[in-house]
Amino acid sequence: MTIRVMLVDDQVLLRTGFRMVLAAQPDMEVVAEAGNGVEALEALRTTSVDVVLMDVRMPKLDGVEATRRICADADPPKVLILTTFDLDEYAFSGLKAGASGFMLKDVPPGELLTAIRAVHSGDAVVAPSTTRRLLDRFAPMLPSSGKQPEHKELERLTEREREVMVLVAQGLSNGEIAARLVLSEATVKTHVGRILTKLGLRDRVQVVVLAYETGLVRAGGHG
């Protein structure tokens, strides 16, 4: 199965480099390119895309707003934010807008390809610990931060699921959560799946963001 990729970046040279890397892969095809968010949205109306590599700083419509609009559609493609800095306000905003992860622009080609495949298969490609560092830095900008300790949707979770959600938000892997709670890894995976379903979230990154927004986990601390 071929992964259909769209490249969105205002730097033609960068798009050319990415296209060459992707074209050499038997399971990937660059089906569209765009120089800004407006062009990206237009291209998606006529082209089927699985994964969007999205730059953030672009003219006309930046990558964050483009990501928000793309992810608002029914059955949207997965979005991977491309950023220059590891702890970047744009990366944080992109995750909140619905991106499945972010990558640094100077990432080695092998890591980029792994990330595209991971996102396509439904995984998030930002390590939860990286997401936590982002959120620790930008949590004060969250609208609910410190004001609204609970969200109604969290009431749908069982006590065990809330416990698992807190540990996911603290950056623990399924294996680490299993060891902490004395559960099998398969059971933890089931709990994570139920959390995603009940809360209408796509991946672990969104679990982390929601845990911070609702005050379930506080910046720099635990739940």
Side-chain angles (χ1 to χ4, degrees):
M1 182 181 175
T2 302
I3 303 172
R4 297 163 299 189
V5 181
M6 176 162 75
L7 305 175
V8 186
D9 197 298
D10 59 340
Q11 295 180 49
V12 178
L13 198 60
L14 205 70
R15 293 206 309 265
T16 303
F18 282 143
R19 193 190 324 120
M20 288 171 65
V21 171
L22 270 56
Q25 304 305 305
D27 62 338
M28 293 184 194
E29 181 187 0
V30 176
V31 294
E33 291 187 38
N36 58 58
V38 173
E39 290 178 10
L41 293 171
E42 285 173 359
L44 284 172
R45 290 193 193 105
T46 56
T47 310
S48 293
V49 174
D50 298 312
V51 177
V52 178
L53 289 186
M54 180 75 76
D55 184 25
V56 280
R57 305 179 197 206
M58 296 181 294
K60 294 187 182 176
L61 187 68
D62 68 35
V64 173
E65 182 56 31
T67 297
R68 188 175 288 111
R69 295 187 194 180
I70 289 168
C71 293
D73 287 345
D75 195 26
K78 300 292 187 1
V79 178
L80 250 181
I81 294 283
L82 294 171
T83 180
T84 316
F85 304 104
D86 187 12
L87 286 179
D88 189 334
E89 180 181 339
Y90 289 94
F92 167 74
S93 301
L95 294 178
K96 275 188 57 67
S100 293
F102 71 93
M103 302 291 294
L104 296 177
K105 280 191 174 181
D106 59 357
V107 66
E111 284 185 34
L112 178 67
L113 297 171
T114 299
I116 292 170
R117 293 184 182 107
V119 163
H120 181 247
S121 71
D123 292 332
V125 299
V126 186
S129 56
T130 305
T131 312
R132 274 202 68 197
R133 285 193 294 120
L134 264 180
L135 286 166
D136 279 348
R137 179 164 170 179
F138 295 112
M141 296 160 49
L142 291 173
S144 332
S145 186
K147 298 175 192 168
Q148 193 175 352
E150 290 296 337
H151 267 214
K152 286 285 181 195
E153 53 259 51
L154 295 184
E155 293 172 9
R156 299 176 204 151
L157 302 182
T158 65
E159 195 172 330
R160 176 63 90 189
E161 286 164 356
R162 284 171 69 100
E163 210 174 351
V164 170
M165 183 172 174
V166 167
L167 295 176
V168 168
Q170 289 173 5
L172 274 65
S173 67
N174 285 356
E176 290 166 337
I177 294 170
R180 178 82 62 91
L181 299 179
V182 197
L183 298 169
S184 72
E185 201 164 331
T187 301
V188 172
K189 197 171 180 182
T190 301
H191 282 312
V192 172
R194 285 187 186 143
I195 291 165
L196 295 176
T197 302
K198 286 183 179 182
L199 301 181
L201 305 175
R202 271 189 299 278
D203 52 44
R204 295 171 82 98
V205 170
Q206 292 196 325
V207 171
V208 180
V209 172
L210 184 66
Y212 273 77
E213 283 190 316
T214 56
L216 196 62
V217 171
R218 287 179 294 281
H222 301 289

